[in-house]
Structure formats: structure tokens, C-alpha cells
């Protein structure tokens, strides 16, 4: 399991590939499910030109690790990778990456979803958007179930 | 007792500070009571204010002890 | 939407990245969910040394495209990419890639899962494994719900 | 009428061929009846044999017409 907060822009596919190579479990995992959240240029009907992500140093890392451990207890997983940006983010950049490796697809799908839903609803991050009229705090994440 | 209080995001802006050290009389013992003391208002902890003691989520009636770090923040919006 | 059967080995992350660049929708999609199925070195307790994937040329492509269209009707998606290997496959290689781009995560997660479940239960592919004792046809896929 | 019949995977092995052209009398009109004719057995279409006409899944009682391509195959195992 690896949880990381990152100040710099990252390329999610490179990170997944690197992790998979480091794992050295080729032939063991049958399923990899990944979620990547990207910065959009609009939110709630307004144009957004930039974003800053605040977090609670210490608690954020601890909370993310706790979520991943819960997922590892609940499903049979081989590896979990979480990377989340903090600080200034530009349009189109990856904000969050969650990747889960498992022998079978059900565990990988469900664990990835579980981690994302908890991350969105409980991990201490706060987004501040820059609009034409100035800055505003995002008040609430959209619910994850459609 | 002495505790450390932290504020995040919009609460940091409305309080005008990121953190402070607070000396408490012994009769202030819960997160909700601390909130009343900090805001100077009689109303309880609003629904849209979350709290953690020592980096773990707690409810409004959680008890505070000497040396604790108490954090107040709005609903989270990561991911 | 892009559906492809591939005889050659592929690197799933490169394919996703390439598709995302071609889309030119940076700033519009907020969520990318991908599933990658890899060849394992064992199945049902037996060591597997190689695999061959047979398909029904014409019907397989048509069926995969139908699944993706159904997903696009059911959820609000920006792009869907499916790549599936045919022919000879080696241990650790990617067999299937399904990637879904959407504004929000619920649609991306659910559409990716939907496509994979239909692909596993209905798309005309057949796996033949090579074991120490010889070759055997895989009789049934494992169910997708845990 | 003339139809094309295709077999896949383990069925291709048990029939010993990948495809064939079959001349049918007019009284053979469903996939299940075609299966009986091809196997020479009276039993119906087994549960673990799937069928398609012109590359679309069909049930055992689906009707066959001149020029159709009918496929028989075992449960699929892709992904």
C-alpha cells in the first residue's frame, strides 16, 4: 500500500505503471481498477480558471491510510496506490489517483469505489476555485451514487 | 488546561487565523462547549462544521483533555 | 467510442494516455475509470503457462460496440475505449482494457463495470489454457459480483 | 435452403470442423431442430450451448431462413 500527497503535477498512467513494475507480481494479479479525478474548467455552471487544494497535514495522510487499510481488510487485494495533489492545480491536471490490484475484478472494482467514496466524503481536503469574480470555497462534493 | 485549536478552509478565513493556543477553565470539556467559547455565541456546533481531536473525527459531545489538538473545518471537498 | 481487437501485446497505460490526448477534452472530463484484465499464472489451482484467445470475427466486434453504445445511452459519458487481445497471450500480459471518461465519477465507475460484466458474460471470446498436462478450454468465467 | 454453420472453441473440436454449408429441407426451421440434425441426436439444445443467427444471440426456438449464418458455441470466457 502506498499513499502520497503530491505538490507537483503527475502523470497518473506513469505512476500506475511504475507501481506495477515495483510490485513484481506479474502473473498474480488478474485485475487492475483505477480512478483518476481531473480538474474541470467549470463547476456548477461557472467557469473555473484555477484551483487550490488545502489539506490538514498529518490527519489527511493518516485518514487515507486508514481507508486503504479498511479496503485491504474487506477485500483480497494485492496492492493499493493513492496519490492526491495539494496546492495549486491547473485545468486538466490529475487531482487524485486510486489504483487497486487484485486477483479478480469484483474485489478491484469494489475496493476502488469504496476508497474513492470515503476519500470524497471524509478525507480532509478543501478546494478553493478561482472564478472570474474571485475565489470561492467549494461547499460540497457531489454524491457518488447515481 | 492548554489546547491547540486549528481552523481550515473557509473557517480559517472567518476566524482570521489558522491556529491558536487556548487556555481553558476546567468546566469547558466538550468540542461543542469549546466552539461556544471561541465564537462567543450560545448556539451549538453547526451541522456544517466538522471536528477532529488529535486528527481523528469526533462528534460535538467528545471530551477534550489537556494537550489535545482540536480542529474545526467545513465539509471536505477533495478528490 | 473505440473498440479494438488486438493480436499484439499492448501497454494499457499508453493506450489510455494516447486516447485521452486524441480526445482533446482536457478540462471537461472529471473522472476516468479503467479496468485492466491481466493473464495470471494459475487458474482454479492449476499452473497455467500460456493462453490462446479465440473469438468470432465480426460478431465479437459488433457485440462489444453494442455494449459500449448501451453504456453511452445509459450514462453521460465523454469517451469509451475497449481493447481486447486475441490469439496467443503470455503470463502477465494485458488481456482486456476498458476505460471510460465522464464529467463525474458515478457514471464512469458504473459504466466501466457494466461494460466489463457484459463483456465477461456475453462477448464471444473463448480462452484455452496450456497446463503441464496439456491444453484445456476455460469452461466458465467467475461471476463479477462478490 | 442453404445455411452456413459455424462452431467455436470446444464445439469446434468435438464437431471436428470450424464451419460447413448445410442444405436443409424446409421442415427444419429452428436452431434446436438444426442442432438435432447436426448431432443426429433426439435431445434438445444443451443449456451450455449458445447460439447466434447472423452474429446476434438467439434462443433455441429462433427460426432459420435461407442464407443465414448460424453459430454454436460454449459459454464465453473473455475478459
Amino acid at each position: 500500500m502506498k499513499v502520497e500527497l503530491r505538490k507537483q503535477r503527475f502523470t497518473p498512467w506513469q505512476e500506475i505503471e511504475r507501481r506495477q513494475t515495483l510490485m513484481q507480481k506479474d502473473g498474480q494479479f488478474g485485475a487492475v481498477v483505477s480512478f483518476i479525478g481531473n480538474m474541470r474548467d467549470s463547476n456548477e455552471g461557472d467557469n473555473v480558471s484555477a484551483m487550490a487544494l488545502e489539506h490538514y497535514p498529518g490527519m489527511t495522510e493518516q485518514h487515507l491510510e486508514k481507508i486503504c487499510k479498511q479496503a485491504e481488510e474487506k477485500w483480497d487485494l494485492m496492492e493499493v496506490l493513492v496519490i492526491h495533489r495539494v496546492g495549486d492545480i491547473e485545468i486538466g491536471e490529475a487531482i487524485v489517483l486510486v489504483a487497486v490490484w487484485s486477483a479478480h475484478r469484483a474485489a478491484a472494482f469494489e475496493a476502488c469505489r469504496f476508497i474513492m467514496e470515503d476519500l470524497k466524503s471524509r478525507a480532509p481536503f478543501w478546494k478553493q476555485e478561482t472564478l472570474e469574480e474571485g475565489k470561492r470555497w467549494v461547499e460540497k462534493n457531489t454524491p457518488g451514487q447515481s | 488546561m492548554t489546547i491547540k485549536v486549528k481552523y481550515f478552509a473557509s473557517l480559517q478565513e472567518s476566524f482570521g487565523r489558522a491556529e491558536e493556543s487556548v487556555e481553558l477553565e476546567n468546566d469547558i470539556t466538550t468540542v461543542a462547549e469549546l466552539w461556544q467559547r471561541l465564537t462567543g455565541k450560545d448556539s451549538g456546533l453547526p451541522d456544517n462544521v466538522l471536528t477532529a481531536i488529535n486528527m481523528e473525527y469526533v462528534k460535538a459531545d467528545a471530551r477534550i483533555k489537556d494537550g489535545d489538538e482540536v480542529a474545526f473545518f467545513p465539509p471536505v471537498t477533495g478528490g
Side-chain angles (χ1 to χ4, degrees), chain A, chain B:
Chain A
M1 180 183 66
K2 187 166 182 358
V3 167
E4 193 191 333
L5 299 183
R6 188 81 71 95
K7 275 191 186 150
Q8 292 78 28
R9 178 193 178 107
F10 67 93
T11 304
W13 325 111
Q14 277 178 9
E15 300 290 338
I16 297 174
E17 194 166 17
R18 187 174 305 157
R19 193 82 209 148
Q20 189 166 296
T21 305
L22 284 172
M23 277 167 63
Q24 297 191 292
K25 289 189 179 167
D26 278 16
Q28 291 175 60
F29 59 86
V32 193
V33 172
S34 70
F35 173 89
I36 290 142
N38 287 275
M39 192 190 149
R40 295 166 64 224
D41 58 13
S42 68
N43 189 22
E44 301 193 355
D46 298 307
N47 291 331
V48 180
S49 60
M51 185 185 273
L53 252 163
E54 188 176 327
H55 72 293
Y56 183 169
M59 179 170 174
T60 306
E61 296 88 330
Q62 189 175 303
H63 187 84
L64 292 175
E65 278 166 20
K66 193 160 68 182
I67 301 172
C68 294
K69 259 180 217 136
Q70 278 174 13
E72 287 179 334
E73 281 161 19
K74 219 169 155 181
W75 290 279
D76 198 1
L77 309 179
M78 289 181 174
E79 182 62 299
V80 177
L81 172 64
V82 175
I83 302 178
H84 202 295
R85 288 285 298 278
V86 294
D88 294 324
I89 294 168
E90 289 176 31
I91 288 168
E93 288 183 354
I95 299 170
V96 60
L97 155 65
V98 176
V100 174
W101 285 261
S102 179
H104 300 289
R105 74 187 181 285
F109 266 117
E110 286 161 27
C112 186
R113 185 83 192 260
F114 169 84
I115 292 168
M116 268 313 297
E117 294 311 318
D118 191 296
L119 189 154
K120 279 266 182 184
S121 62
R122 306 254 307 158
F125 290 105
W126 301 274
K127 284 177 180 152
Q128 191 179 45
E129 301 172 328
T130 304
L131 313 179
E132 280 164 36
E133 313 83 53
K135 296 184 177 193
R136 81 169 166 203
W137 291 99
V138 177
E139 287 190 359
K140 236 175 77 174
N141 271 333
T142 49
Q145 315 301 328
S146 64
Chain B
M1 58 184 181
T2 310
I3 58 158
K4 185 153 105 178
V5 180
K6 287 183 162 246
Y7 308 98
F8 290 95
S10 55
L11 283 182
Q12 196 169 101
E13 289 176 355
S14 48
F15 277 88
R17 52 192 179 270
E19 70 176 76
E20 63 188 315
S21 187
V22 180
E23 284 295 323
L24 292 182
E25 311 77 33
N26 284 339
D27 61 339
I28 296 182
T29 52
T30 70
V31 167
E33 285 168 326
L34 172 62
W35 177 260
Q36 287 181 7
R37 149 87 186 260
L38 293 165
T39 57
K41 287 179 194 160
D42 256 2
S43 53
L45 194 69
D47 283 345
N48 63 349
V49 173
L50 306 179
T51 53
I53 297 181
N54 300 330
M55 302 189 180
E56 295 274 356
Y57 278 106
V58 295
K59 299 226 166 110
D61 60 357
R63 291 184 160 268
I64 301 167
K65 61 182 194 312
D66 189 35
D68 278 351
E69 174 176 301
V70 182
F72 294 100
F73 46 82
V76 304
T77 56

